[in-house]
Amino acid sequence: MRKTVQHLKVIANLRLNDDHHILVLQSADKLEQIHPGQFANLLVENSSTVFLRRPFSIYSVDYAQNTISIYIKIIGEGTRALSKAVVGSEIDTMFPLGNKFTLPTEKEKVLLVGGGSGVASLKSLAQSLHEKSNEVAILIGARSSKDLVELDEFSKYGTVYTTTEDGTQGVKGYVTNHPVLELELSTFQRVYSCGPEPMMKAVAKKAKEKSIFCELSLENTMACGFGVCLCCITTTIDGHKCVCTEGPVFNINILKWEI
Amino acid sequence: MRKTVQHLKVIANLRLNDDHHILVLQSADKLEQIHPGQFANLLVENSSTVFLRRPFSIYSVDYAQNTISIYIKIIGEGTRALSKAVVGSEIDTMFPLGNKFTLPTEKEKVLLVGGGSGVASLKSLAQSLHEKSNEVAILIGARSSKDLVELDEFSKYGTVYTTTEDGTQGVKGYVTNHPVLELELSTFQRVYSCGPEPMMKAVAKKAKEKSIFCELSLENTMACGFGVCLCCITTTIDGHKCVCTEGPVFNINILKWEI
Amino acid sequence: MGDLTVSIHNLKLKNPVLTASGTFGYGLEYDDFMDVSLLGGIVVKGTTIHPRQGNDYPRMAETASGMLNSVGLQNKGAKYFATDIYPNLLKYDTNILVNVSGSTIEEYIACAEIINELDHIPGIELNISCPNVKEGGMAFGTSCASIEAVVSAVRKVYHKTMVVKLSPNVTDIGELARSAEASGADSLSLINTLMAMAIDAERRKPILSTITGGLSGPAVKPIALRQVWEVAKSVKVPIIGMGGIMNATDAIEFFLAGASAIQVGTANYLDPMITLKIIDGIDDYLNRHKFSSINDIIGGLQV
Amino acid sequence: MGDLTVSIHNLKLKNPVLTASGTFGYGLEYDDFMDVSLLGGIVVKGTTIHPRQGNDYPRMAETASGMLNSVGLQNKGAKYFATDIYPNLLKYDTNILVNVSGSTIEEYIACAEIINELDHIPGIELNISCPNVKEGGMAFGTSCASIEAVVSAVRKVYHKTMVVKLSPNVTDIGELARSAEASGADSLSLINTLMAMAIDAERRKPILSTITGGLSGPAVKPIALRQVWEVAKSVKVPIIGMGGIMNATDAIEFFLAGASAIQVGTANYLDPMITLKIIDGIDDYLNRHKFSSINDIIGGLQV
Ligand SMILES: Cc1cc2nc3c(=O)[nH]c(=O)nc-3n(C[C@H](O)[C@H](O)[C@H](O)COP(=O)(O)OP(=O)(O)OC[C@H]3O[C@@H](n4cnc5c(N)ncnc54)[C@H](O)[C@@H]3O)c2cc1C
Ligand SMILES: Cc1cc2nc3c(=O)[nH]c(=O)nc-3n(C[C@H](O)[C@H](O)[C@H](O)COP(=O)(O)OP(=O)(O)OC[C@H]3O[C@@H](n4cnc5c(N)ncnc54)[C@H](O)[C@@H]3O)c2cc1C
Ligand SMILES: Cc1cc2nc3c(=O)[nH]c(=O)nc-3n(C[C@H](O)[C@H](O)[C@H](O)COP(=O)(O)O)c2cc1C
Ligand SMILES: Cc1cc2nc3c(=O)[nH]c(=O)nc-3n(C[C@H](O)[C@H](O)[C@H](O)COP(=O)(O)O)c2cc1C
Ligand code: FES
Ligand code: FES
């Protein structure tokens, strides 16, 4: 689907817990295909401090209802204002933006590793991989059990593993402490990851060691979201690339990360 | 009552018509005396364009409920945002501000002339005058009958006369076309007025001609509302005066208006 | 429909709304959103003779009603522009200006010479005001002597419409504007971004990799209007005004202050179709106030 | 509770939060709202030797995240201050500075001489940066020569702490700061307001009676931070930073950039108790980050 700016109608605002919400936004037009990894850039109205749009992964798409959903973790003014969106109101949304995850062409065994709000970019990926009959494992790391939300959703598409820093659920520690990454990584043909940079770096390092295909979805501070401001660069072997158009998904082989 | 800044609770938001609302705001503290003519300065949150507070007359006070009410005519972003205040939410309010109308010490026959949102400053004045057994007449001018709201309220305190520019209610024309101003003015001992500047100038002119005591409540663009920015001046025979502290009520004899 | 056409030296614009350099890419990025040919003109990204990687990440900070950037003129160089980008722009029926920058006068000249050869580029905007590059850039724009040097040097090699883009980071913009005019500028554009800074208090570090960067957006509009007003009083060449324009009312304010055309920058990020809405809004304003032409309000401030 | 005391030359401040001239009246207007003695200091209204009526109405325009003013130093003159206002300020246990202005060097001197006699006024802030007066004012603050002239002249007659308030409307603030320091300033404060303009598009008129005015509020914070940072690199005397400070985080940013104290201006209009909240917030920050003293973060930006 080509990029558009639309006033999408808020048809649901699901509060998962204190700081996690899911907004379901409906388009008046027929949605064309949106790919796993793509994102939307939401305008925050009614805030005296937020000026720029705020980027969010497209958490899921319902082509029958013409809705996209957005998973919001509250971290500042913009996410707070959006989390208060009233059902029936409209959100000015620019979407779909960015490139997409590369899906395997044959059936493969794949691992998805998510942390924090990074899990948001992995759900539609898990779904696509599952629908194409890949064998999907999903490892989700969080600070504490209360931050582990939507696990049921993910378990529809594969086996879900969890870690928590405080040990309140799953394996205690970071995702990199989980056996699936620690011991079984070589059984996977692909790894996809999205989450805090230290986490992605650790995942990338392990994948690189084992020469496993690995794509990451990067976050970045964005002014435009569609490739014109050149503010959202990441350094690659081919020079600076825009995370909003040439990403957010990058193969670890082209990133110039010290890992 | 000394000046305070309080988070007042919105306990009612009465929509009078498309662009007139009354907000009833409750204090957690006991209200002390507020005088007719005083105003409040409301912070507009949740707006991306409004920066400064917005001043509004204190329309009425209920000491039993510890509420003040504010009559809002929507004219721009600030008034629009305030008119949407949700019952149960809070508005950061600085009040009471400004001086007050001078009440007669003996029973008198008084005329109040209001136009537009200017009527807001006259209700508590009418009430006080009525309670002190003065003979009160209230002349209200508007563009059209739909802009004439709250007449019932005013009629509790005196005889209400109206004019509309389009003739849809009362005498057709401006307030100055109404017989009570045109012909009967000399029967009054005092005139108070608040409304658009051209209206107040016309009233002031007539009062001056007849040497009748006349006080006006002026509007002005305000940055602070309590006398520190010196932005809200009006020119008087004693030099520049601050409308927010030395006004908003001024006797026409000290104003340097060309009338 | 009022008459929206304006002239900037030899350029005939179908309407007075252009896009600001660095905020509209090469126009192509907007094809999904709008018909770029409806614009009065577009000013493409800052271009230099040599390719530039630009500054390190982070390059952006949000501020109250504005943003800072320190992109630092990332571009693939004038030759790449001429061979790889320019051909894609021929489809547009609008005035395409190239924003030309350099670290030395020689670089400005070399870049302008290449652009001068491109038939469908009717003009350049000489950027002597970029706060985000170490050498050259803004330094050229802050003294009369250096303005004269760079503007007159480029004038010798560039034969179409030359707009000179002024820096707002100066004591007396009127004086610098006169220098640029005297040195051969056909038009002046302003303002570029204001030198500014953002700090992350929690990490005790500057937010931008470059420490300081350029402020744009509605926060700067009052400063931009004042400088356009001062420059309009100081020179005879037409002025292209910009700085924080978010809607048609803002644009009208710049015309009243003396701008013959305006550029829209940061607002394009928030709403990629904003320029078309601004054109419509200007037309509305003319109709409502019964002006038959935009030229009736240029410099029309009643003081 | 961390140690919030700072020194500005001979002034010992119980905390680094002062109020900016023109935004806090004489302090008295805040008695209803707060205990003024809790502040590190207050800078009273711009004072001149002769009474001034100030500019005509309108003097204010709201802008994006800011406001313009063109009050024009309305005040009843230094003698009136000394006889009628000063006695009322003796009740305050805080540093009261008088913001001194003039149209000529002689006027600055005459005004400073009167203030020099007032025992409980430990310092002045020399305002060489007011954009809202026709003669003098900002003009003094925009060249090294005029800064030297006025600062060294006042230095001869004023014997307590002399803070010089710089104008942000300049090309190179570091250079001007060095002039002020060399001419005898004990401390520098910045920024004053930025020259700006607002237009009423519907009426096609400037909003301010003076056409241009001074911009303040959060819109200017990024510019103020950058200038404080530049001045901090240029001089040794302590700096008092201001411009758009709305909360404790903003204040911390100015300390990190190099300010030893800060002033709060426009924010006082929105919340008259904001200065006390900022003091608390600074203390919080120090505790959270385990600093024992505010002095540990002054100039502490990691670059
Ligand atoms: C491509 C992309 C996809 C994203 N998808 C999602 C998603 O699906 N769900 C979701 O909840 N969030 C997602 N994010 C992150 C989201 O955009 C930010 O959380 C949001 O912009 C913060 O806005 P705010 O106004 O609440 O916080 P701000 O007030 O802007 O920031 C608060 C604090 O967080 C820091 N911060 C802000 N943004 C980021 C960031 N991107 N990375 C690191 N630190 C930051 C700021 O520096 C500041 O200190 C995504 C980001 C990108 C770039
Ligand atoms: C002492 C005082 C008491 C007031 N009492 C009331 C009241 O009880 N009820 C009420 O509805 N209003 C009252 N007002 C007016 C009210 O303050 C303004 O309508 C309000 O500030 C407008 O804010 P806004 O953001 O909606 O409009 P803005 O966006 O600020 O303004 C929209 C347009 O209206 C013009 N405008 C704004 N304020 C004024 C003004 N005061 N006079 C003339 N033109 C103006 C602006 O220039 C602009 O063109 C009072 C004003 C004062 C000073
Ligand atoms: C991200 C970004 C990049 C910019 N790059 C350039 C540039 O390459 N050349 C230039 O002359 N101006 C550049 N500018 C400045 C704009 O063209 C414009 O002068 C400025 O942003 C003010 O307008 P605005 O407030 O409407 O954005 C850039 C601005 C931004 C925000
Ligand atoms: C209404 C108003 C009046 C001012 N008067 C003075 C003054 O008399 N002398 C002076 O040095 N600065 C004056 N200033 C400037 C402030 O002291 C301060 O430098 C400026 O507002 C920036 O800080 P802020 O953004 O926190 O307001 C005034 C500012 C405002 C808004
Ligand atoms: S956010 Fe503007 S180029 Fe990516
Ligand atoms: S509004 Fe500030 S002095 Fe009246």
Short mmCIF file of all heavy atoms in Angstrom, two decimals, chain B residues 223 228-231, chain D residues 20-23 44-47 67-71 73 99 125 127 129-130 165 190-193 214-218 220 242-245 263-267 269, ligand 4:
data_model
loop_
_atom_site.label_atom_id
_atom_site.label_comp_id
_atom_site.label_asym_id
_atom_site.label_seq_id
_atom_site.Cartn_x
_atom_site.Cartn_y
_atom_site.Cartn_z
N ALA B 223 -1.11 38.88 30.04
CA ALA B 223 -0.15 37.78 30.15
C ALA B 223 -0.19 37.18 31.55
O ALA B 223 -0.10 35.98 31.71
CB ALA B 223 1.26 38.23 29.81
N VAL B 228 1.95 41.97 37.22
CA VAL B 228 3.41 41.96 37.13
C VAL B 228 3.98 42.14 35.73
O VAL B 228 5.14 42.53 35.58
CB VAL B 228 4.03 40.69 37.78
CG1 VAL B 228 3.80 40.73 39.28
CG2 VAL B 228 3.47 39.42 37.18
N CYS B 229 3.20 41.84 34.69
CA CYS B 229 3.80 41.94 33.35
C CYS B 229 3.65 43.32 32.74
O CYS B 229 4.39 43.69 31.84
CB CYS B 229 3.23 40.87 32.43
SG CYS B 229 1.55 41.20 31.85
N LEU B 230 2.71 44.09 33.23
CA LEU B 230 2.44 45.44 32.72
C LEU B 230 2.05 45.44 31.24
O LEU B 230 2.30 46.41 30.52
CB LEU B 230 3.64 46.37 32.94
CG LEU B 230 4.13 46.52 34.39
CD1 LEU B 230 5.19 47.61 34.47
CD2 LEU B 230 2.97 46.84 35.32
N CYS B 231 1.43 44.36 30.80
CA CYS B 231 1.03 44.28 29.39
C CYS B 231 -0.39 44.80 29.17
O CYS B 231 -0.75 45.12 28.04
CB CYS B 231 1.09 42.84 28.91
SG CYS B 231 2.78 42.24 28.71
N ALA D 20 13.15 36.71 36.97
CA ALA D 20 13.65 37.59 35.92
C ALA D 20 12.95 38.94 35.96
O ALA D 20 11.75 39.04 36.23
CB ALA D 20 13.44 36.94 34.55
N SER D 21 13.72 39.96 35.68
CA SER D 21 13.19 41.33 35.69
C SER D 21 11.99 41.47 34.75
O SER D 21 11.99 40.95 33.64
CB SER D 21 14.30 42.28 35.24
OG SER D 21 13.81 43.60 35.19
N GLY D 22 10.98 42.17 35.22
CA GLY D 22 9.81 42.43 34.39
C GLY D 22 8.76 41.34 34.49
O GLY D 22 7.70 41.45 33.89
N THR D 23 9.09 40.30 35.23
CA THR D 23 8.13 39.20 35.33
C THR D 23 7.73 38.93 36.76
O THR D 23 6.95 38.04 37.04
CB THR D 23 8.71 37.89 34.75
OG1 THR D 23 9.78 37.45 35.59
CG2 THR D 23 9.21 38.09 33.33
N VAL D 44 14.16 42.98 40.36
CA VAL D 44 12.94 43.76 40.20
C VAL D 44 12.88 44.39 38.81
O VAL D 44 13.81 44.32 38.02
CB VAL D 44 12.76 44.80 41.33
CG1 VAL D 44 12.78 44.12 42.69
CG2 VAL D 44 13.80 45.90 41.23
N LYS D 45 11.77 44.99 38.56
CA LYS D 45 11.45 45.62 37.27
C LYS D 45 12.54 46.54 36.75
O LYS D 45 13.25 47.16 37.54
CB LYS D 45 10.23 46.51 37.50
CG LYS D 45 8.94 45.85 37.16
CD LYS D 45 7.86 46.82 36.80
CE LYS D 45 7.18 47.55 37.92
NZ LYS D 45 5.77 47.14 38.05
N GLY D 46 12.62 46.64 35.44
CA GLY D 46 13.56 47.56 34.82
C GLY D 46 13.35 48.97 35.37
O GLY D 46 12.23 49.48 35.37
N THR D 47 14.44 49.58 35.84
CA THR D 47 14.34 50.89 36.49
C THR D 47 15.23 51.88 35.75
O THR D 47 16.34 51.55 35.34
CB THR D 47 14.79 50.75 37.97
OG1 THR D 47 13.95 49.76 38.59
CG2 THR D 47 14.66 52.06 38.72
N MET D 67 5.59 34.34 24.10
CA MET D 67 4.85 35.61 24.01
C MET D 67 5.81 36.72 23.62
O MET D 67 7.01 36.64 23.83
CB MET D 67 4.20 35.94 25.36
CG MET D 67 5.19 36.11 26.50
SD MET D 67 4.44 36.70 28.04
CE MET D 67 4.36 38.48 27.74
N LEU D 68 5.24 37.76 23.03
CA LEU D 68 5.99 38.98 22.75
C LEU D 68 5.54 40.04 23.73
O LEU D 68 4.36 40.12 24.05
CB LEU D 68 5.67 39.52 21.35
CG LEU D 68 5.92 38.64 20.15
CD1 LEU D 68 5.66 39.45 18.88
CD2 LEU D 68 7.34 38.14 20.19
N ASN D 69 6.48 40.88 24.17
CA ASN D 69 6.06 42.04 24.93
C ASN D 69 6.79 43.26 24.42
O ASN D 69 7.89 43.17 23.86
CB ASN D 69 6.32 41.85 26.43
CG ASN D 69 7.71 42.27 26.84
OD1 ASN D 69 7.98 43.47 27.05
ND2 ASN D 69 8.62 41.32 26.94
N SER D 70 6.15 44.39 24.60
CA SER D 70 6.81 45.66 24.30
C SER D 70 6.40 46.66 25.36
O SER D 70 5.90 47.73 25.08
CB SER D 70 6.40 46.16 22.91
OG SER D 70 5.02 46.38 22.86
N VAL D 71 6.63 46.25 26.60
CA VAL D 71 6.27 47.10 27.73
C VAL D 71 7.05 48.41 27.66
O VAL D 71 6.51 49.49 27.88
CB VAL D 71 6.52 46.37 29.07
CG1 VAL D 71 6.35 47.33 30.25
CG2 VAL D 71 5.57 45.18 29.20
N LEU D 73 9.85 49.32 29.52
CA LEU D 73 10.42 49.83 30.77
C LEU D 73 9.54 50.82 31.51
O LEU D 73 10.05 51.79 32.09
CB LEU D 73 11.80 50.45 30.49
CG LEU D 73 12.87 49.50 29.95
CD1 LEU D 73 14.14 50.26 29.64
CD2 LEU D 73 13.15 48.40 30.96
N ASN D 99 17.19 45.95 38.26
CA ASN D 99 17.52 45.93 36.84
C ASN D 99 17.58 47.38 36.37
O ASN D 99 16.57 48.09 36.38
CB ASN D 99 16.43 45.12 36.12
CG ASN D 99 16.62 44.99 34.63
OD1 ASN D 99 16.12 45.80 33.87
ND2 ASN D 99 17.35 43.97 34.20
N GLU D 125 21.46 44.55 38.06
CA GLU D 125 21.58 43.85 36.78
C GLU D 125 21.50 44.95 35.73
O GLU D 125 20.47 45.62 35.61
CB GLU D 125 20.45 42.84 36.62
CG GLU D 125 20.51 42.09 35.29
CD GLU D 125 19.41 41.03 35.16
OE1 GLU D 125 18.22 41.40 35.15
OE2 GLU D 125 19.74 39.85 35.07
N ASN D 127 20.89 46.34 32.42
CA ASN D 127 20.12 45.89 31.26
C ASN D 127 20.58 46.62 30.01
O ASN D 127 20.15 47.74 29.75
CB ASN D 127 18.63 46.13 31.54
CG ASN D 127 17.75 45.72 30.39
OD1 ASN D 127 18.22 45.19 29.39
ND2 ASN D 127 16.47 45.98 30.53
N SER D 129 20.14 45.32 27.06
CA SER D 129 19.59 44.41 26.07
C SER D 129 18.09 44.51 25.91
O SER D 129 17.47 43.63 25.36
CB SER D 129 19.97 42.99 26.47
OG SER D 129 19.75 42.76 27.85
N CYS D 130 17.49 45.62 26.35
CA CYS D 130 16.05 45.73 26.21
C CYS D 130 15.68 46.10 24.77
O CYS D 130 16.07 47.16 24.28
CB CYS D 130 15.48 46.79 27.15
SG CYS D 130 13.69 46.90 27.01
N LYS D 165 23.41 42.15 31.82
CA LYS D 165 22.46 41.30 31.11
C LYS D 165 22.62 41.47 29.60
O LYS D 165 22.41 42.54 29.05
CB LYS D 165 21.03 41.66 31.53
CG LYS D 165 19.98 40.73 30.91
CD LYS D 165 18.67 40.85 31.67
CE LYS D 165 17.60 39.94 31.10
NZ LYS D 165 16.32 40.12 31.81
N LEU D 190 21.86 36.09 30.96
CA LEU D 190 21.31 36.00 29.62
C LEU D 190 20.35 34.84 29.58
O LEU D 190 20.48 33.94 30.41
CB LEU D 190 22.42 35.85 28.55
CG LEU D 190 23.22 34.54 28.52
CD1 LEU D 190 23.83 34.34 27.15
CD2 LEU D 190 24.30 34.49 29.59
N ILE D 191 19.35 34.95 28.68
CA ILE D 191 19.19 35.91 27.63
C ILE D 191 18.04 36.86 27.96
O ILE D 191 17.11 36.50 28.67
CB ILE D 191 18.89 35.24 26.26
CG1 ILE D 191 17.60 34.42 26.31
CG2 ILE D 191 20.05 34.37 25.85
CD1 ILE D 191 17.14 33.88 24.95
N ASN D 192 18.14 38.06 27.43
CA ASN D 192 16.99 38.94 27.39
C ASN D 192 16.10 38.44 26.24
O ASN D 192 16.38 37.41 25.65
CB ASN D 192 17.43 40.40 27.16
CG ASN D 192 16.44 41.38 27.80
OD1 ASN D 192 15.23 41.22 27.68
ND2 ASN D 192 16.95 42.40 28.46
N THR D 193 15.06 39.16 25.93
CA THR D 193 14.14 38.68 24.89
C THR D 193 14.72 38.84 23.49
O THR D 193 15.57 39.69 23.23
CB THR D 193 12.80 39.44 24.97
OG1 THR D 193 13.07 40.83 24.92
CG2 THR D 193 12.08 39.12 26.27
N GLY D 214 9.72 41.80 22.15
CA GLY D 214 10.68 40.80 22.62
C GLY D 214 10.00 39.47 22.89
O GLY D 214 9.00 39.40 23.59
N LEU D 215 10.60 38.41 22.36
CA LEU D 215 10.04 37.06 22.50
C LEU D 215 10.62 36.38 23.74
O LEU D 215 11.83 36.38 23.95
CB LEU D 215 10.39 36.25 21.25
CG LEU D 215 9.94 34.80 21.19
CD1 LEU D 215 8.41 34.68 21.19
CD2 LEU D 215 10.50 34.12 19.94
N SER D 216 9.77 35.77 24.52
CA SER D 216 10.21 35.00 25.68
C SER D 216 9.37 33.74 25.79
O SER D 216 8.42 33.57 25.03
CB SER D 216 10.04 35.84 26.96
OG SER D 216 8.67 36.14 27.17
N GLY D 217 9.72 32.88 26.73
CA GLY D 217 8.96 31.65 26.93
C GLY D 217 9.68 30.44 26.37
O GLY D 217 10.77 30.57 25.79
N PRO D 218 9.09 29.25 26.53
CA PRO D 218 9.77 28.01 26.14
C PRO D 218 10.24 27.96 24.70
O PRO D 218 11.20 27.24 24.39
CB PRO D 218 8.72 26.92 26.41
CG PRO D 218 7.48 27.59 26.86
CD PRO D 218 7.79 29.00 27.19
N VAL D 220 12.02 29.97 23.21
CA VAL D 220 13.40 30.47 23.09
C VAL D 220 14.41 29.63 23.85
O VAL D 220 15.62 29.87 23.74
CB VAL D 220 13.53 31.96 23.54
CG1 VAL D 220 12.46 32.83 22.89
CG2 VAL D 220 13.48 32.10 25.05
N MET D 242 18.89 32.18 31.69
CA MET D 242 17.42 32.23 31.64
C MET D 242 16.97 32.19 30.20
O MET D 242 17.76 32.35 29.26
CB MET D 242 16.89 33.50 32.31
CG MET D 242 16.97 34.75 31.45
SD MET D 242 16.76 36.26 32.40
CE MET D 242 18.46 36.59 32.88
N GLY D 243 15.68 32.01 30.03
CA GLY D 243 15.07 31.95 28.70
C GLY D 243 14.23 30.69 28.61
O GLY D 243 14.75 29.61 28.34
N GLY D 244 12.95 30.83 28.87
CA GLY D 244 12.04 29.70 28.67
C GLY D 244 12.06 28.64 29.75
O GLY D 244 11.54 27.55 29.54
N ILE D 245 12.63 28.94 30.90
CA ILE D 245 12.64 27.93 31.96
C ILE D 245 11.24 27.77 32.55
O ILE D 245 10.66 28.73 33.05
CB ILE D 245 13.67 28.30 33.06
CG1 ILE D 245 15.07 28.28 32.47
CG2 ILE D 245 13.55 27.33 34.25
CD1 ILE D 245 16.18 28.69 33.43
N GLN D 263 17.29 32.36 36.18
CA GLN D 263 16.14 33.23 36.44
C GLN D 263 14.93 32.65 35.73
O GLN D 263 15.04 32.11 34.63
CB GLN D 263 16.39 34.65 35.92
CG GLN D 263 17.43 35.42 36.75
CD GLN D 263 17.67 36.83 36.22
OE1 GLN D 263 16.86 37.39 35.48
NE2 GLN D 263 18.80 37.40 36.61
N VAL D 264 13.81 32.79 36.38
CA VAL D 264 12.54 32.33 35.81
C VAL D 264 11.73 33.56 35.43
O VAL D 264 11.57 34.46 36.24
CB VAL D 264 11.76 31.48 36.82
CG1 VAL D 264 10.44 31.02 36.24
CG2 VAL D 264 12.61 30.29 37.27
N GLY D 265 11.29 33.60 34.19
CA GLY D 265 10.55 34.77 33.71
C GLY D 265 9.10 34.47 33.43
O GLY D 265 8.28 34.34 34.35
N THR D 266 8.80 34.30 32.16
CA THR D 266 7.43 34.12 31.69
C THR D 266 6.66 33.04 32.46
O THR D 266 5.44 33.16 32.65
CB THR D 266 7.48 33.78 30.18
OG1 THR D 266 8.23 34.82 29.53
CG2 THR D 266 6.09 33.72 29.58
N ALA D 267 7.36 32.02 32.92
CA ALA D 267 6.69 30.93 33.63
C ALA D 267 5.94 31.42 34.87
O ALA D 267 4.94 30.85 35.28
CB ALA D 267 7.69 29.85 34.02
N TYR D 269 4.06 33.87 35.08
CA TYR D 269 2.72 34.32 34.72
C TYR D 269 1.75 33.14 34.73
O TYR D 269 0.58 33.28 35.07
CB TYR D 269 2.70 34.93 33.32
CG TYR D 269 3.63 36.11 33.12
CD1 TYR D 269 4.12 36.42 31.85
CD2 TYR D 269 4.00 36.92 34.18
CE1 TYR D 269 4.96 37.50 31.65
CE2 TYR D 269 4.84 38.00 33.99
CZ TYR D 269 5.31 38.29 32.73
OH TYR D 269 6.14 39.35 32.53
C1 LIG E 4 6.62 41.37 30.02
C2 LIG E 4 8.10 41.29 30.15
C3 LIG E 4 8.81 42.38 30.65
C4 LIG E 4 10.19 42.33 30.76
N1 LIG E 4 10.86 43.41 31.28
C5 LIG E 4 12.22 43.34 31.41
C6 LIG E 4 12.95 44.41 32.00
O1 LIG E 4 12.40 45.40 32.42
N2 LIG E 4 14.30 44.30 32.07
C7 LIG E 4 14.97 43.20 31.62
O2 LIG E 4 16.19 43.14 31.72
N3 LIG E 4 14.30 42.15 31.11
C8 LIG E 4 12.94 42.20 30.99
N4 LIG E 4 12.27 41.12 30.46
C9 LIG E 4 13.02 39.95 30.01
C10 LIG E 4 13.07 38.85 31.08
O3 LIG E 4 13.69 39.32 32.24
C11 LIG E 4 13.80 37.62 30.53
O4 LIG E 4 15.11 38.01 30.16
C12 LIG E 4 13.13 37.02 29.32
O5 LIG E 4 11.73 37.09 29.45
C13 LIG E 4 13.54 35.57 29.05
O6 LIG E 4 13.16 34.71 30.08
P1 LIG E 4 11.79 33.84 30.07
O7 LIG E 4 11.72 33.15 28.75
O8 LIG E 4 11.91 32.92 31.23
O9 LIG E 4 10.68 34.83 30.22
C14 LIG E 4 10.88 41.16 30.36
C15 LIG E 4 10.17 40.06 29.90
C16 LIG E 4 8.79 40.10 29.79
C17 LIG E 4 8.07 38.88 29.26
#
